[in-house]
């Protein structure tokens, strides 16, 4: 994607601070002051944050940025407590200082023309699709958004997305809200109904794989945001292998944090990424 | 061999092998001077391209990381054509880390790198934590390491430094350092990641603050036994105090590795704190 003129490029490493923290369903939404990051942000970018007492960093999708606020430039992240690092993050009060590096990674590529786009997000990983929906709408694209989760508590609120999306579909595995079922059950139908030219997906690998597959079957492009454990997030450690097929048709392993996290869905070697024993 | 013949010892702050990406990824965190003058050891380069090992390659343990990354690199040819020229252009002093399966591969790498413009020196990876797993020449005895260094030295100009990166094993480090220095190593990097295992028993290497005191002990022993052999401390350096501990123990410099994964600005900050500011030396005007 060509760099927009005047937009500062590349990540920055800054000392941020928790300026707001709020529980929303199963998640903790944190607002961090992070000078330098909002003006560099493009949808699909992420931040690496430092967790007290840990060497490795934790990657979080950027959910929203504000160029200016009472606290200066800020960004929002959505944290799901999984292990010690996310538990620490979710427990931090306003005022905690946190080193933040970002925006990192390759963001979603935007179509040149005003095409029809289907955005599919599962759980907290739907976070980067909201700013993406706004960008796409600004370009005149018809945006259909699908937010999916195991249950209502893990659903990112799609209320505000209704402004940027022509249609919003909610899926829960237990049927507690919206349609019952997962992305795999509905995605072919959703691609057809939205007449999508591009499918954007964010979530666990299995969700990305079904979205990419549905796009391919319908002759659409896909862009998937892959989460691989990223020890540093900055491309320095080569610790986040993502198996892909290169433009030249040759199998490669790239760094998910640097050559990804967003890649074309038809380029991912899903069988290598999702080991057969993994039930996901 | 006379020290003057072996090239200048780099430092006092270097980027450790395998923790600087391709070098480009450090640029956003390098401050206004960029990579100019930065002593950077590349990730280990092999003759042929390697895609690296399967995931998980790096896991966190208390105080550090266990890694088995598998030396992913584009191979010498591609490195010479793309990554090296970029680094040289950026002004970095490039020390190419070389790794091979045989003595012949090491010699080949050294010969071809000796002709590549802009290579400041070599670092020979003779103490990887899992050589068998990484498919490298196995260094079980100090003379194994020394013979690799000698093979590299034969092919590489005498006035440019060759660094020997050894395992921080206190029971063997003095012997290893002596043998490598006698074989022509300009300085000994002490040390590599400590042999360790993942939870499932898979071999890996432990790095980070957890190994700082282990590496420091090794530097102390080498310096005590071989005060004339220059050492470069590597292991858990993350701030001025941890770097100074190595320098105070006699090390000529330090390498920063795992700390960069935690904070990519670490080398920039340490250089600012530790690089000697050019003193006014009127008698030395060129
Ligand atoms: C690009 C990207 C964006 C992400 N965005 C978000 C987000 O917006 N919100 C959110 O809650 N989570 C997000 N994650 C996942 C989040 O980073 C992991 O859940 C978190 O690192 C786990 O840390 P922990 O200390 O809680 O768990 P632990 O199990 O204690 O973590 C141990 C180690 O494994 C790594 N790790 C474990 N699982 C993952 C994983 N799925 N992805 C990456 N690293 C992992 C950690 O970095 C750490 O080094 C994202 C991951 C990536 C790669």
């Amino acid at each position: 994607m060509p760099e927009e003129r005047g937009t500062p490029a590349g990540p920055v490493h800054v000392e941020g601070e928790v300026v707001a923290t709020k529980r929303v369903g199963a998640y903790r939404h944190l607002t961090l002051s992070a000078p330098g990051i909002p003006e560099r942000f493009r949808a699909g970018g992420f931040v690496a944050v430092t967790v007290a007492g840990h060497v490795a960093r934790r990657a979080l999708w950027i959910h929203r940025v504000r160029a200016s606020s009472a606290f200066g430039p800020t960004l929002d992240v959505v944290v799901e407590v999984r292990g010690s690092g996310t538990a620490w993050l979710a427990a931090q009060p306003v005022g905690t200082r946190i080193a933040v590096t970002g925006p990192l990674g390759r963001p979603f590529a935007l179509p040149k023309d005003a095409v029809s786009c289907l955005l599919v997000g599962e759980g907290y990983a739907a976070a980067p699709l909201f700013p993406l929906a706004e960008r796409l709408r600004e370009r005149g694209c018809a945006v259909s958004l699908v937010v999916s989760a195991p249950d209502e508590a893990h659903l990112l609120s799609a209320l505000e997305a209704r402004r940027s999306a022509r249609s919003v579909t909610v899926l829960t595995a237990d049927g507690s809200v919206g349609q019952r079922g997962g992305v795999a059950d509905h995605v072919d139908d959703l691609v057809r109904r939205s007449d999508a030219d591009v499918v954007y997906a964010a979530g666990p690998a299995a969700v990305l794989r079904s979205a990419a597959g549905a796009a391919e079957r319908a002759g659409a492009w896909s862009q998937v945001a892959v989460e691989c454990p990223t020890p540093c997030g900055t491309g320095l450690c080569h610790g986040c292998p993502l198996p892909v097929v290169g433009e030249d048709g040759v199998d490669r392993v790239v760094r998910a944090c640097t050559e990804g996290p967003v890649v074309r869905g038809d380029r991912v070697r899903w069988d290598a990424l999702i080991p057969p024993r993994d039930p996901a | 061999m006379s020290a003057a013949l072996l090239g200048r010892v780099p430092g006092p702050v270097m980027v450790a092998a395998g923790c600087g990406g391709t070098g480009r990824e450090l640029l956003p965190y390098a401050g206004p001077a960029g990579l100019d003058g930065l002593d950077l050891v590349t990730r280990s380069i092999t003759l042929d391209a390697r895609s690296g090992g399967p995931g998980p390659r790096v896991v966190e343990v208390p105080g550090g990381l266990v890694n088995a990354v598998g030396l992913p690199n584009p191979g010498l040819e591609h490195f010479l054509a793309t990554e090296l020229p970029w680094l040289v252009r950026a002004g970095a002093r490039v020390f190419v880390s070389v790794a091979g399966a045989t003595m012949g591969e090491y010699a080949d790498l050294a010969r071809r790198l000796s002709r590549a413009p802009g290579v400041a020196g070599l670092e020979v990876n003779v103490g990887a934590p899992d050589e068998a797993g990484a498919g490298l020449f196995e260094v079980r005895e100090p003379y194994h390491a020394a013979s690799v260094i000698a093979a590299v030295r034969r092919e590489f100009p005498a006035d440019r430094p060759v660094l020997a990166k050894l395992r921080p094993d206190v029971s063997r480090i003095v012997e290893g350092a002596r043998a490598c220095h006698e074989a022509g190593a300009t300085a000994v990097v002490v040390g590599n990641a400590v042999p360790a295992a993942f939870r499932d028993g898979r071999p890996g290497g432990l790095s980070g603050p957890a190994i700082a005191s282990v590496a420091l002990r090794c530097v102390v022993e080498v310096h005590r036994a071989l005060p004339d052999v220059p050492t470069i401390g590597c292991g858990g350096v993350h701030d001025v105090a941890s770097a100074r501990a190595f320098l105070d123990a006699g090390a000529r410099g330090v390498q920063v590795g795992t700390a960069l994964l935690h904070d990519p600005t670490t080398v920039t900050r340490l250089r600012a704190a530790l690089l000697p500011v050019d003193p006014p030396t009127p008698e030395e005007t060129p």
Side-chain angles (χ1 to χ4, degrees):
Chain A
M1 226 178 336
E3 204 56 61
E4 277 157 61
R5 244 173 214 289
T7 314
V12 292
H13 180 84
V14 294
E15 177 88 348
E17 187 179 327
V18 178
V19 298
T21 164
K22 182 171 68 171
R23 217 194 85 172
V24 182
Y27 303 127
R28 175 66 62 170
H29 289 233
L30 295 180
T31 302
L32 304 172
S33 69
I37 298 182
E39 56 265 43
R40 291 171 166 82
F41 168 71
R42 286 184 284 163
F46 69 98
V47 287
V49 301
T50 301
V51 169
H54 288 263
V55 173
R57 303 188 81 203
R58 300 299 186 273
L60 299 167
W61 299 112
I62 300 173
H63 182 37
R64 171 198 301 201
V65 295
R66 285 181 209 79
S68 63
S69 75
F71 310 100
T74 63
L75 60 87
D76 288 4
V77 292
V78 180
V79 179
E80 175 171 38
V81 174
R82 288 268 202 72
S84 53
T86 43
W88 182 88
L89 280 167
Q92 294 317 298
V94 166
T96 303
R97 303 197 138 263
I98 298 179
V100 186
T101 312
L104 294 164
R106 235 178 241 196
F108 288 114
L110 303 178
K112 287 189 195 70
D113 305 316
V115 296
S116 185
C117 303
L118 179 72
L119 281 52
V120 183
E122 162 94 13
Y124 65 77
L129 298 182
F130 293 72
L132 174 66
E134 280 173 44
R135 280 299 84 67
L136 292 170
R137 196 202 49 169
E138 284 165 14
R139 295 187 165 223
C141 294
V143 176
S144 307
L145 177 70
V146 183
V147 282
S148 156
D151 53 39
E152 188 175 5
H154 290 85
L155 212 50
L156 275 196
S157 165
L159 274 183
E160 48 189 309
R162 292 190 194 272
R163 273 182 287 124
S164 358
R166 172 177 293 180
S167 80
V168 176
T169 305
V170 170
L171 304 175
T172 50
D174 65 357
S176 51
V177 262
Q179 301 180 42
R180 179 187 297 272
V183 169
D185 307 320
H186 295 279
V187 69
D188 280 290
D189 190 39
L190 290 160
V191 171
R192 209 172 316 114
R193 275 196 286 140
S194 60
D195 199 18
D197 301 295
V198 188
V199 176
Y200 292 96
V207 167
L208 304 183
R209 181 183 204 160
S210 44
E216 208 162 341
R217 286 187 288 277
W221 294 103
S222 66
Q223 292 258 310
V224 297
V226 189
E227 283 185 21
C228 295
T230 47
C232 70
T234 48
L236 297 174
C237 80
H238 292 268
C240 53
L242 173 61
V244 297
V245 183
E247 301 271 348
D248 50 7
V250 175
D251 283 4
R252 291 222 168 72
V253 178
V254 298
R255 292 166 294 183
C257 71
T258 304
E259 283 78 32
V262 179
V263 290
R264 266 171 54 177
D266 60 336
R267 293 260 176 248
V268 178
R269 290 188 281 133
W270 298 106
D271 287 331
L273 182 69
I274 309 174
R277 62 189 153 76
D278 191 338
Chain B
M1 213 173 293
S2 119
L5 264 179
L6 299 173
R8 184 182 80 82
V9 179
V13 182
M14 308 180 76
V15 174
C19 297
T22 65
R24 279 175 206 248
E25 297 80 8
L26 285 171
L27 193 55
Y29 317 105
L35 305 190
D36 196 33
L38 178 68
D39 283 326
L40 178 139
V41 185
T42 68
R43 63 199 150 133
S44 291
I45 301 296
T46 50
L47 277 179
D48 297 321
R50 284 177 174 232
S51 56
R57 290 176 171 180
V58 180
V59 306
E60 220 179 2
V61 295
L65 302 174
V66 173
N67 86 80
V69 175
L71 308 182
N73 78 93
L76 181 64
E77 208 69 58
H78 189 272
F79 170 78
L80 290 175
T82 59
E83 295 184 16
L84 177 66
W86 186 90
L87 288 168
V88 171
R89 203 188 159 84
R93 275 204 293 267
V94 184
F95 294 81
V96 182
S97 169
V98 291
T102 63
M103 209 90 85
E105 283 190 19
Y106 277 104
D108 243 18
L109 285 158
R111 180 169 51 249
R112 293 172 62 189
L113 284 161
S114 72
R115 296 191 216 117
V119 174
L122 300 183
E123 180 178 278
V124 189
N125 192 352
V126 277
D130 176 31
E131 286 155 338
L136 297 183
F137 182 80
E138 278 191 69
V139 174
R140 288 179 305 276
E141 299 295 330
Y143 73 83
H144 290 137
S147 46
V148 172
I149 297 298
V152 166
R153 245 314 165 210
R154 271 195 292 278
E155 306 292 345
F156 201 70
D159 61 347
R160 278 192 272 164
V162 169
L163 313 177
K165 187 170 184 179
L166 298 178
R167 206 172 280 140
D169 172 355
V170 74
S171 66
R172 306 307 292 275
I173 193 73
V174 171
E175 267 179 279
R178 179 186 292 119
C180 287
H181 190 60
E182 282 170 359
T186 314
V188 178
V189 180
V190 183
N192 216 312
V194 171
F198 292 87
R199 285 241 170 91
D200 62 3
R202 203 158 50 98
L206 174 65
S207 67
I211 69 162
S213 51
V214 175
L216 183 59
R217 171 73 186 277
C218 290
V219 168
V220 168
E221 298 295 337
V222 172
H223 193 64
R224 188 181 356 236
L226 312 164
D228 297 332
V229 175
T231 56
I232 294 169
C234 178
V237 172
H238 65 282
D239 59 6
V240 173
S242 52
R244 283 234 191 276
F246 280 105
L247 301 175
D248 292 347
R252 299 275 286 273
V254 293
Q255 292 190 352
V256 182
T258 301
L260 280 168
L261 314 183
H262 177 77
D263 176 347
T265 65
T266 310
V267 160
T268 313
R269 285 187 288 105
L270 286 184
R271 288 182 82 214
L274 296 174
L275 273 190
V277 224
D278 289 334
T281 47
E283 66 277 16
E284 270 181 30
T285 40

